[in-house]
mmCIF file with all atom_site columns, all heavy atoms in Angstrom:
data_model
loop_
_atom_site.group_PDB
_atom_site.id
_atom_site.type_symbol
_atom_site.label_atom_id
_atom_site.label_alt_id
_atom_site.label_comp_id
_atom_site.label_asym_id
_atom_site.label_entity_id
_atom_site.label_seq_id
_atom_site.pdbx_PDB_ins_code
_atom_site.Cartn_x
_atom_site.Cartn_y
_atom_site.Cartn_z
_atom_site.occupancy
_atom_site.B_iso_or_equiv
_atom_site.pdbx_formal_charge
_atom_site.auth_seq_id
_atom_site.auth_comp_id
_atom_site.auth_asym_id
_atom_site.auth_atom_id
_atom_site.pdbx_PDB_model_num
ATOM 1  N N   . ILE A 1 109 ? -14.533 19.774  2.023   1.00 0.00 ? 109 ILE A N   1
ATOM 2  C CA  . ILE A 1 109 ? -13.599 19.052  1.152   1.00 0.00 ? 109 ILE A CA  1
ATOM 3  C C   . ILE A 1 109 ? -12.387 18.664  1.991   1.00 0.00 ? 109 ILE A C   1
ATOM 4  O O   . ILE A 1 109 ? -11.902 19.460  2.796   1.00 0.00 ? 109 ILE A O   1
ATOM 5  C CB  . ILE A 1 109 ? -13.138 19.914  -0.043  1.00 0.00 ? 109 ILE A CB  1
ATOM 6  C CG1 . ILE A 1 109 ? -14.331 20.533  -0.771  1.00 0.00 ? 109 ILE A CG1 1
ATOM 7  C CG2 . ILE A 1 109 ? -12.317 19.078  -1.027  1.00 0.00 ? 109 ILE A CG2 1
ATOM 8  C CD1 . ILE A 1 109 ? -13.927 21.519  -1.863  1.00 0.00 ? 109 ILE A CD1 1
ATOM 9  N N   . LYS A 1 133 ? 0.834   27.106  -1.351  1.00 0.00 ? 133 LYS A N   1
ATOM 10 C CA  . LYS A 1 133 ? 0.046   28.330  -1.500  1.00 0.00 ? 133 LYS A CA  1
ATOM 11 C C   . LYS A 1 133 ? 0.538   29.102  -2.730  1.00 0.00 ? 133 LYS A C   1
ATOM 12 O O   . LYS A 1 133 ? 1.743   29.242  -2.942  1.00 0.00 ? 133 LYS A O   1
ATOM 13 C CB  . LYS A 1 133 ? 0.178   29.203  -0.250  1.00 0.00 ? 133 LYS A CB  1
ATOM 14 C CG  . LYS A 1 133 ? -0.353  28.559  1.024   1.00 0.00 ? 133 LYS A CG  1
ATOM 15 C CD  . LYS A 1 133 ? -1.866  28.416  0.993   1.00 0.00 ? 133 LYS A CD  1
ATOM 16 C CE  . LYS A 1 133 ? -2.402  27.820  2.283   1.00 0.00 ? 133 LYS A CE  1
ATOM 17 N NZ  . LYS A 1 133 ? -2.271  28.696  3.451   1.00 0.00 ? 133 LYS A NZ  1
ATOM 18 N N   . ASP A 1 169 ? 9.296   12.959  -3.486  1.00 0.00 ? 169 ASP A N   1
ATOM 19 C CA  . ASP A 1 169 ? 8.943   13.243  -4.876  1.00 0.00 ? 169 ASP A CA  1
ATOM 20 C C   . ASP A 1 169 ? 7.563   13.885  -4.983  1.00 0.00 ? 169 ASP A C   1
ATOM 21 O O   . ASP A 1 169 ? 7.235   14.505  -5.984  1.00 0.00 ? 169 ASP A O   1
ATOM 22 C CB  . ASP A 1 169 ? 9.021   11.978  -5.743  1.00 0.00 ? 169 ASP A CB  1
ATOM 23 C CG  . ASP A 1 169 ? 8.246   10.801  -5.179  1.00 0.00 ? 169 ASP A CG  1
ATOM 24 O OD1 . ASP A 1 169 ? 7.669   10.931  -4.093  1.00 0.00 ? 169 ASP A OD1 1
ATOM 25 O OD2 . ASP A 1 169 ? 8.237   9.744   -5.837  1.00 0.00 ? 169 ASP A OD2 1
ATOM 26 N N   . VAL A 1 172 ? 7.691   17.596  -5.636  1.00 0.00 ? 172 VAL A N   1
ATOM 27 C CA  . VAL A 1 172 ? 7.938   17.924  -7.041  1.00 0.00 ? 172 VAL A CA  1
ATOM 28 C C   . VAL A 1 172 ? 6.619   18.025  -7.797  1.00 0.00 ? 172 VAL A C   1
ATOM 29 O O   . VAL A 1 172 ? 6.404   18.954  -8.586  1.00 0.00 ? 172 VAL A O   1
ATOM 30 C CB  . VAL A 1 172 ? 8.854   16.855  -7.691  1.00 0.00 ? 172 VAL A CB  1
ATOM 31 C CG1 . VAL A 1 172 ? 8.804   16.948  -9.209  1.00 0.00 ? 172 VAL A CG1 1
ATOM 32 C CG2 . VAL A 1 172 ? 10.283  17.026  -7.219  1.00 0.00 ? 172 VAL A CG2 1
ATOM 33 N N   . SER A 1 237 ? -11.140 -0.021  -1.618  1.00 0.00 ? 237 SER A N   1
ATOM 34 C CA  . SER A 1 237 ? -12.574 0.035   -1.382  1.00 0.00 ? 237 SER A CA  1
ATOM 35 C C   . SER A 1 237 ? -12.933 -0.121  0.091   1.00 0.00 ? 237 SER A C   1
ATOM 36 O O   . SER A 1 237 ? -14.001 0.332   0.517   1.00 0.00 ? 237 SER A O   1
ATOM 37 C CB  . SER A 1 237 ? -13.283 -1.045  -2.204  1.00 0.00 ? 237 SER A CB  1
ATOM 38 O OG  . SER A 1 237 ? -12.823 -2.342  -1.849  1.00 0.00 ? 237 SER A OG  1
ATOM 39 N N   . PRO A 1 323 ? 0.007   -15.071 9.499   1.00 0.00 ? 323 PRO A N   1
ATOM 40 C CA  . PRO A 1 323 ? -0.852  -13.880 9.575   1.00 0.00 ? 323 PRO A CA  1
ATOM 41 C C   . PRO A 1 323 ? -0.132  -12.646 9.039   1.00 0.00 ? 323 PRO A C   1
ATOM 42 O O   . PRO A 1 323 ? 1.074   -12.504 9.244   1.00 0.00 ? 323 PRO A O   1
ATOM 43 C CB  . PRO A 1 323 ? -1.107  -13.728 11.081  1.00 0.00 ? 323 PRO A CB  1
ATOM 44 C CG  . PRO A 1 323 ? -0.691  -15.030 11.699  1.00 0.00 ? 323 PRO A CG  1
ATOM 45 C CD  . PRO A 1 323 ? 0.361   -15.592 10.832  1.00 0.00 ? 323 PRO A CD  1
ATOM 46 N N   . PHE A 1 355 ? 9.201   -0.850  18.950  1.00 0.00 ? 355 PHE A N   1
ATOM 47 C CA  . PHE A 1 355 ? 9.697   -1.948  19.792  1.00 0.00 ? 355 PHE A CA  1
ATOM 48 C C   . PHE A 1 355 ? 11.222  -1.953  19.757  1.00 0.00 ? 355 PHE A C   1
ATOM 49 O O   . PHE A 1 355 ? 11.835  -1.988  18.698  1.00 0.00 ? 355 PHE A O   1
ATOM 50 C CB  . PHE A 1 355 ? 9.141   -3.273  19.284  1.00 0.00 ? 355 PHE A CB  1
ATOM 51 C CG  . PHE A 1 355 ? 9.565   -4.459  20.093  1.00 0.00 ? 355 PHE A CG  1
ATOM 52 C CD1 . PHE A 1 355 ? 8.929   -4.749  21.291  1.00 0.00 ? 355 PHE A CD1 1
ATOM 53 C CD2 . PHE A 1 355 ? 10.590  -5.281  19.670  1.00 0.00 ? 355 PHE A CD2 1
ATOM 54 C CE1 . PHE A 1 355 ? 9.301   -5.852  22.040  1.00 0.00 ? 355 PHE A CE1 1
ATOM 55 C CE2 . PHE A 1 355 ? 10.976  -6.380  20.411  1.00 0.00 ? 355 PHE A CE2 1
ATOM 56 C CZ  . PHE A 1 355 ? 10.320  -6.665  21.603  1.00 0.00 ? 355 PHE A CZ  1
ATOM 57 N N   . ILE A 1 356 ? 11.860  -1.886  20.924  1.00 0.00 ? 356 ILE A N   1
ATOM 58 C CA  . ILE A 1 356 ? 13.319  -1.748  21.001  1.00 0.00 ? 356 ILE A CA  1
ATOM 59 C C   . ILE A 1 356 ? 13.939  -3.050  21.497  1.00 0.00 ? 356 ILE A C   1
ATOM 60 O O   . ILE A 1 356 ? 13.522  -3.601  22.511  1.00 0.00 ? 356 ILE A O   1
ATOM 61 C CB  . ILE A 1 356 ? 13.709  -0.586  21.938  1.00 0.00 ? 356 ILE A CB  1
ATOM 62 C CG1 . ILE A 1 356 ? 13.200  0.739   21.358  1.00 0.00 ? 356 ILE A CG1 1
ATOM 63 C CG2 . ILE A 1 356 ? 15.211  -0.535  22.134  1.00 0.00 ? 356 ILE A CG2 1
ATOM 64 C CD1 . ILE A 1 356 ? 13.386  1.911   22.306  1.00 0.00 ? 356 ILE A CD1 1
ATOM 65 N N   . PRO A 1 418 ? 5.736   -15.842 -6.820  1.00 0.00 ? 418 PRO A N   1
ATOM 66 C CA  . PRO A 1 418 ? 7.007   -16.349 -7.339  1.00 0.00 ? 418 PRO A CA  1
ATOM 67 C C   . PRO A 1 418 ? 8.185   -15.723 -6.588  1.00 0.00 ? 418 PRO A C   1
ATOM 68 O O   . PRO A 1 418 ? 8.012   -14.764 -5.823  1.00 0.00 ? 418 PRO A O   1
ATOM 69 C CB  . PRO A 1 418 ? 6.985   -15.905 -8.812  1.00 0.00 ? 418 PRO A CB  1
ATOM 70 C CG  . PRO A 1 418 ? 5.557   -15.619 -9.119  1.00 0.00 ? 418 PRO A CG  1
ATOM 71 C CD  . PRO A 1 418 ? 4.969   -15.113 -7.848  1.00 0.00 ? 418 PRO A CD  1
ATOM 72 N N   . SER A 1 489 ? 10.247  2.453   -18.641 1.00 0.00 ? 489 SER A N   1
ATOM 73 C CA  . SER A 1 489 ? 11.690  2.408   -18.446 1.00 0.00 ? 489 SER A CA  1
ATOM 74 C C   . SER A 1 489 ? 12.046  2.788   -17.019 1.00 0.00 ? 489 SER A C   1
ATOM 75 O O   . SER A 1 489 ? 11.454  3.704   -16.437 1.00 0.00 ? 489 SER A O   1
ATOM 76 C CB  . SER A 1 489 ? 12.382  3.356   -19.427 1.00 0.00 ? 489 SER A CB  1
ATOM 77 O OG  . SER A 1 489 ? 12.169  2.930   -20.754 1.00 0.00 ? 489 SER A OG  1
#
Side-chain angles (χ1 to χ4, degrees):
I109 309 174
K133 298 291 182 68
D169 52 358
V172 164
S237 60
F355 181 80
I356 296 173
S489 296

